[in-house]
Amino acid sequence: MVAQAAQDPPRVIGIIFGPPGSGKGTQAARIEKDFRLKHLSTGDILRAEVAKGTPVGTEAGRIMAAGDLVPDELIVDIVRSRLPEAETGAGVLLDGFPRTLRQAQALDAMLAGEGHRVDRVLALDVPEKDLVERLLHRAAVEGRPDDTREAITERMHEYHKLTEVVLDHYRRQGVPVEIVSGMGSPDEVFERIRRVIGISSRMGKGGTKGKRS
Ligand code: B4P
């Protein structure tokens, strides 16, 4: 069954993109459910490694707590090992990856090796002061080690310095990049995303380059 599914091409490779705290994880879980895409979150995978106390988790945990990005090679290896299984379903929604140009290039090469490419990017847009408020609120509720004020400042800095360029990388390739406001309640944001994804109930159809919703 798995072998047969593995021969089928994935329907879509989507990326949910945005600064820390923009709601990528929150919305990706909803998209996964409604659009039957396999949600692959590098943040979740790393946190699971930290919780298990694996060597990868020990290395990543320190870096994450400081608000820095873990090394590209480590993340690329993780995605390379998980992508084939994720691709056996209706499609994949990447969350938190790629976060640097090198990661994007590695992803493109991985996909090209199978005759695929990124089909669509959904970018959540939230003003920085709201992001900081959300993350500080999460710190109070969940106590995540990377939600301290210092780590949040560093994560925002890394986002502007290393991650934002990924959007232009895909725009240059002609991949539809949809900017969606991440303000309002999670339900309101999801409604916007649903509209953008379209009534076809599948990502990868239509879309307008750089359109804002
Ligand atoms: P992530 O797990 O990707 O962390 P994030 O950016 O904080 O997540 P997200 O934007 O998904 O926030 P969420 O939905 O939870 O990465 C964590 C760390 O792992 C990175 O800093 C890095 O060190 C490392 N890492 C991961 N991927 C990597 C990569 N590819 N390369 C290198 N390093 C990598 O939402 C945030 C909060 O807002 C939640 O509390 C949520 O409840 C709330 N919220 C969501 N939507 C809201 C809304 N509409 N209104 C109000 N609050 C909302």
Side-chain angles (χ1 to χ4, degrees), residues 163-176:
T163 307
E164 258 173 352
V165 293
V166 171
L167 277 189
D168 280 335
H169 169 79
Y170 285 112
R171 282 192 182 109
R172 276 196 301 272
Q173 290 185 11
V175 174

Side-chain angles (χ1 to χ4, degrees), residues 16-30 39 41-47 60-72 74-76 79 95-100 103 124 126 130-131 133-139 141-142 144 146-147 151 154-156 158-159 163 181-190 192:
I16 186 155
F17 189 91
S22 54
K24 298 183 295 289
T26 305
Q27 296 301 328
R30 292 168 182 232
H39 173 201
S41 157
T42 44
D44 286 351
I45 293 168
L46 290 172
R47 280 185 289 278
R62 255 183 301 115
I63 299 170
M64 291 164 77
D68 294 320
L69 295 180
V70 308
D72 288 334
L74 190 152
I75 282 288
V76 168
V79 173
D95 163 11
F97 178 89
R99 248 176 164 107
T100 65
Q103 291 181 18
L124 294 174
V126 176
D130 296 281
L131 295 172
E133 269 171 33
R134 282 184 192 184
L135 293 172
L136 289 174
H137 175 72
R138 182 168 68 186
V141 177
E142 294 177 22
R144 237 173 77 168
D146 57 344
D147 284 342
E154 179 60 17
R155 286 160 70 193
M156 296 298 169
E158 297 271 273
Y159 174 77
T163 307
S181 167
M183 290 300 288
S185 70
D187 283 349
E188 287 167 338
V189 178
F190 187 55
R192 274 178 222 128

Side-chain angles (χ1 to χ4, degrees), residues 10-119:
R11 306 247 168 34
V12 64
I13 307 286
I15 295 174
I16 186 155
F17 189 91
S22 54
K24 298 183 295 289
T26 305
Q27 296 301 328
R30 292 168 182 232
I31 297 169
E32 175 176 48
K33 190 159 162 269
D34 264 44
F35 296 92
R36 300 195 308 275
L37 298 180
K38 174 80 181 166
H39 173 201
L40 201 61
S41 157
T42 44
D44 286 351
I45 293 168
L46 290 172
R47 280 185 289 278
E49 295 290 327
V50 173
K52 283 188 274 178
T54 63
V56 165
T58 308
E59 182 186 350
R62 255 183 301 115
I63 299 170
M64 291 164 77
D68 294 320
L69 295 180
V70 308
D72 288 334
E73 305 72 46
L74 190 152
I75 282 288
V76 168
D77 282 351
I78 286 177
V79 173
R80 185 175 285 117
S81 69
R82 312 250 177 161
L83 197 56
E85 195 206 323
E87 280 183 306
T88 58
V92 183
L93 181 65
L94 293 163
D95 163 11
F97 178 89
R99 248 176 164 107
T100 65
L101 207 48
R102 282 186 61 197
Q103 291 181 18
Q105 288 160 346
L107 173 66
D108 296 347
M110 265 183 247
L111 293 173
E114 301 165 15
H116 303 308
R117 57 174 296 189
V118 171
D119 296 297

Side-chain angles (χ1 to χ4, degrees), residues 179-213:
I179 312 284
V180 177
S181 167
M183 290 300 288
S185 70
D187 283 349
E188 287 167 338
V189 178
F190 187 55
E191 211 31 60
R192 274 178 222 128
I193 290 175
R194 284 171 64 91
R195 256 184 274 133
V196 163
I197 291 176
I199 50 168
S200 67
S201 86
R202 283 236 315 264
M203 282 182 84
K205 297 200 164 183
T208 347
K209 233 189 282 179
K211 194 178 159 211
R212 174 175 288 271
S213 300

